[in-house]
């Protein structure tokens, strides 16, 4: 059980755990694992607070109501699980700018925040456009052997490699 307290787990063990979790989710709830819709629902909840029921009347929110659902709880669980894992391994600390970023671009948290925010917007837009994110397509969709999910997952990897190359090799 010592491996539970290590800062980094084997990627094979983590992959097997994610596969088991996805299988269990299908078995118990008949739903695939996915996260990106939770962010859309959260945006809808914020808009609903500002605009009232006009937000809920939008066609998008008719399909994806702005409510706390199981995906929203999954995202909350990811944050809590990551925190608990970091805390029990003794690896938890507040870091505004990672060392890799400092080596390439310097210690400015403002630049790091702007780039992270832009990356999040692109990721969210792409996930909604593709009908799923890395967990929806990359885990649940590929487990179901959906061709669209395999195309999406391969595109995620290609895009990630290209973005890392651009950021750290060309710009950094």
């Amino acid at each position: 059980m010592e491996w539970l307290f290590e800062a980094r787990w084997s990627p094979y063990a983590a992959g097997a755990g994610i596969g088991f979790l996805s299988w269990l989710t299908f078995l118990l709830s008949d739903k695939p694992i996915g996260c990106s819709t939770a962010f859309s629902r959260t945006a809808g909840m914020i808009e609903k607070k500002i605009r009232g029921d006009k937000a809920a009347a939008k066609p998008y929110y008719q399909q994806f109501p702005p409510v706390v659902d199981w995906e929203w709880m999954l995202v909350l669980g990811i944050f809590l699980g990551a925190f608990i894992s970091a805390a029990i391994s003794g690896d938890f600390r507040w870091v505004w700018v990672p060392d890799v970023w400092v080596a390439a671009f310097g210690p400015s948290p403002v630049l790091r925040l702007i780039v992270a925010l832009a990356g999040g917007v692109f990721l969210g837009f792409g996930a909604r456009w593709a009908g799923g994110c890395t967990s929806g397509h990359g885990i649940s969709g590929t487990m179901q052997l959906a061709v669209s999910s395999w195309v999406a997952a391969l595109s995620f990897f290609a895009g990630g490699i290209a973005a890392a190359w651009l950021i750290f090799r060309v710009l950094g």
Side-chain angles (χ1 to χ4, degrees), residues 79-162:
F79 280 107
L80 286 174
F83 173 74
I84 291 168
S85 176
I88 65 173
S89 70
D91 199 41
F92 180 80
R93 61 189 159 98
W94 292 103
V95 176
W96 287 100
V97 184
D99 294 338
V100 167
W101 185 269
V102 171
F105 299 103
S108 171
V110 175
L111 178 63
R112 173 70 176 134
L113 185 63
I114 290 170
V115 172
L117 184 62
V121 168
F122 284 129
L123 186 108
F125 181 75
R128 291 295 79 212
W129 192 12
C133 60
T134 50
S135 56
H137 276 302
I139 297 170
S140 299
T142 55
M143 279 183 59
Q144 299 174 74
L145 302 178
V147 174
S148 61
S149 291
W150 279 99
V151 170
L154 291 172
S155 299
F156 296 150
F157 277 103
I161 291 168

Side-chain angles (χ1 to χ4, degrees), residues 1-82:
M1 296 295 283
E2 270 185 42
W3 60 273
L4 280 173
F5 300 98
E6 293 179 10
R8 298 188 196 284
W9 288 7
S10 159
Y12 303 111
I18 290 171
F20 178 74
L21 175 65
S22 187
W23 172 81
L24 195 63
T25 303
F26 273 119
L27 179 69
L28 298 177
S29 69
D30 198 27
K31 293 182 179 186
I33 288 178
C35 294
S36 60
T37 306
F39 293 98
S40 301
R41 291 182 196 278
T42 302
M45 286 187 266
I46 293 169
E47 186 176 347
K48 192 175 175 184
K49 289 287 182 193
I50 296 169
R51 298 187 62 222
D53 289 335
K54 289 179 183 175
K58 288 182 170 180
Y60 184 83
Y61 294 131
Q62 295 292 313
Q63 186 177 359
F64 302 103
V67 296
V68 173
D69 67 344
W70 70 273
E71 288 177 324
W72 209 91
M73 297 306 290
L74 178 64
V75 171
L76 181 64
I78 290 169
F79 280 107
L80 286 174

